[in-house]
Amino acid sequence: MSTVEFAHVTKRFEDGTTALDSLSLRVEEGEFLVLLGPSGCGKSTALRLLAGLEEVTAGDILIGGNRVNDLPAGARDLGMVFQSYALYPHMSVADNLGFGLRYGRHREAIDEPEIRERIAGAVDMLGLGDLLERRPRELSGGQQQRVAIGRALVRRPRVLLMDEPLSNLDAKLRNRMRLEIRRLHELHGTTTVYVTHDQVEAMTLADRIAVIDGGRLQQHAPPLDAYHRPANSFVASFIGTPPMNLVEGEAASGRFRSGELSFPLPEHLCDRTGPGFYGIRPESVRVREAGEAADSVPATVIGRENLGSTSVMHLDVLGHPITASIRAGPETDVAPGARIAVSLTHAAAVLLEE
Ligand code: ATP
């Protein structure tokens, strides 16, 4: 069994910084969990605690149902891939791949033919065949990262931990490696915990995302659930590019009001009352002819970014900054300062209490 569980895990450093505050989270066998959050939110600390590189202040960490708080890092049977690839510079790719098997904790259990077979499998899978004799400095960043991933995988760990493994790569390579990591996961089904601040990585890789802010878990859900039904305004504004529009105000009598702005709530939110944040994704904002419909509200165009097939329009809606992502067409062909109308009433909108 290779489940992972954080049970009310708190980490307070000596200087008093609380990096994690009662984190409770379960990663199922074979699941790909992404810990997502801004810099300093505590995600690397969670991974380091799981790896045994830091000690928990309170709470328990379980791997395969067993408490591992007191188990040293080397005895936890984990594979780790970090942002810095940490390859041995004086060794060839082939030797780097085999090092952990030949000289690590597993060396007695695995004989040389098996080691060779595992390395050959990784080389094949990661397309490293032509590079086996090279030293790390003779490899590109993406190639080095593939070796680092291969080195972790050949050990067939119970759980694979990755901390921002793609952040040193350029955008194009990052996209490719992202697909590759997901493909490898589907092939091996190794329980994986992956740390990133990049929400696109989280959306595309994860079975479930754990969004963390200020050391606290904000939401633990499949990526599309977090996208469509964010638990709070932090998650709503952290996931999605451009982020979800949030208007702080009050719902009452089937309408949402904030200062001068007032519009009908969509049907599924009609019964809601009280203060909160009305959240609408940029792609759900619709441009209207002024006065065309009861739900249209006036907007002034602040600026627009043409991305080819879509146009991102930055609007001022009665004092509220609103972003609309609209298929490029005549209605998006407007200059800054133009007065238009939009509708914020949409079946995909959310009303968040905090
Ligand atoms: P990043 O993406 O920038 O790596 P992170 O979300 O991984 O950020 P952590 O590295 O887990 O964040 O750090 C969480 C908090 O704990 C931060 O406020 C950080 O400054 C603090 N912290 C981390 N390590 C220590 C330490 N050894 N001593 C004191 N505070 C620490």
Side-chain angles (χ1 to χ4, degrees):
M1 266 238 303
S2 48
T3 54
V4 168
E5 201 171 339
F6 290 85
H8 305 289
V9 171
T10 293
K11 175 65 184 178
R12 201 165 298 117
F13 286 104
E14 271 174 21
D15 66 356
T17 307
T18 302
L20 270 189
D21 189 359
S22 195
L23 176 71
S24 288
L25 194 65
R26 190 180 149 88
V27 190
E28 298 300 337
E29 170 114 36
E31 188 178 7
F32 197 121
L33 176 89
V34 174
L35 296 174
L36 173 69
S39 180
C41 74
K43 54 196 188 299
S44 295
T45 300
L47 203 73
R48 291 173 61 78
L49 291 171
L50 175 58
L53 303 174
E54 300 276 1
E55 275 182 36
V56 304
T57 308
D60 289 325
I61 295 183
L62 294 91
I63 300 177
N66 298 316
R67 185 174 179 274
V68 296
N69 290 34
D70 306 318
L71 211 57
R76 295 191 185 190
D77 194 8
L78 307 168
M80 292 184 233
V81 182
F82 292 110
Q83 178 179 353
S84 60
Y85 318 120
L87 300 175
Y88 298 108
H90 56 285
M91 283 186 203
S92 66
V93 166
D95 289 341
N96 263 287
L97 286 170
F99 186 83
L101 295 177
R102 293 197 176 100
Y103 308 106
R105 231 172 48 83
H106 300 273
R107 63 189 181 281
E108 284 153 32
I110 304 169
D111 55 20
E112 190 56 31
E114 163 88 17
I115 291 174
R116 285 177 190 279
E117 198 184 309
R118 287 198 194 181
I119 293 175
V123 164
D124 223 25
M125 198 167 55
L126 292 162
L128 296 170
D130 297 337
L131 308 172
L132 285 175
E133 296 314 316
R134 294 212 194 160
R135 304 268 181 273
R137 66 167 184 282
E138 296 160 340
L139 301 176
S140 72
Q143 290 164 340
Q144 289 184 45
Q145 189 57 304
R146 262 185 274 162
V147 178
I149 292 171
R151 188 178 56 177
L153 284 175
V154 291
R155 292 188 40 234
R156 310 228 170 120
R158 278 200 296 177
V159 181
L160 191 58
L161 309 184
M162 300 199 187
D163 192 350
E164 308 252 9
L166 306 184
S167 50
N168 284 349
L169 307 179
D170 68 43
K172 199 168 158 197
L173 200 50
R174 225 169 25 232
N175 290 350
R176 226 182 56 215
M177 287 301 291
R178 216 166 59 208
L179 288 174
E180 215 152 290
I181 288 176
R182 184 67 217 184
R183 186 178 64 82
L184 288 175
H185 177 72
E186 269 150 31
L187 218 59
H188 285 266
T190 309
T191 307
T192 303
V193 183
Y194 185 108
V195 162
T196 183
H197 63 271
D198 180 337
Q199 50 99 20
V200 176
E201 259 173 47
M203 293 295 288
T204 49
L205 282 171
D207 293 317
R208 280 193 295 174
I209 300 179
V211 185
I212 300 181
D213 186 38
R216 288 172 179 249
L217 182 64
Q218 305 293 316
Q219 186 164 12
H220 181 203
L224 288 179
D225 281 8
Y227 185 84
H228 291 297
R229 289 179 290 283
N232 56 34
S233 53
F234 176 80
V235 177
S237 55
F238 198 74
I239 293 180
T241 319
M244 184 179 256
N245 296 294
L246 291 169
V247 179
E248 190 172 3
E250 183 135 9
S253 312
R255 294 188 74 80
F256 192 81
R257 291 186 179 81
S258 179
E260 272 183 70
L261 176 62
S262 166
F263 54 90
L265 285 166
E267 211 173 312
H268 68 291
L269 300 174
C270 252
D271 297 340
R272 301 277 294 273
T273 55
F277 293 89
Y278 183 84
I280 179 166
R281 290 274 170 210
E283 63 270 23
S284 301
V285 176
R286 284 164 299 170
V287 171
R288 289 259 199 241
E289 294 294 329
E292 175 200 8
D295 61 1
S296 71
V297 288
T300 306
V301 177
I302 303 296
R304 121 192 111 99
E305 297 165 280
N306 258 326
L307 304 177
S309 61
T310 56
S311 181
V312 175
M313 300 178 74
H314 300 277
L315 308 169
D316 177 290
V317 178
L318 296 174
H320 299 272
I322 295 288
T323 307
S325 181
I326 293 169
R327 182 187 287 272
E331 76 256 33
T332 63
D333 197 16
V334 283
R339 289 173 188 279
I340 60 169
V342 293
S343 169
L344 304 178
T345 306
H346 196 278
V350 295
L351 200 48
L352 305 167
E353 283 169 15
E354 51 172 21

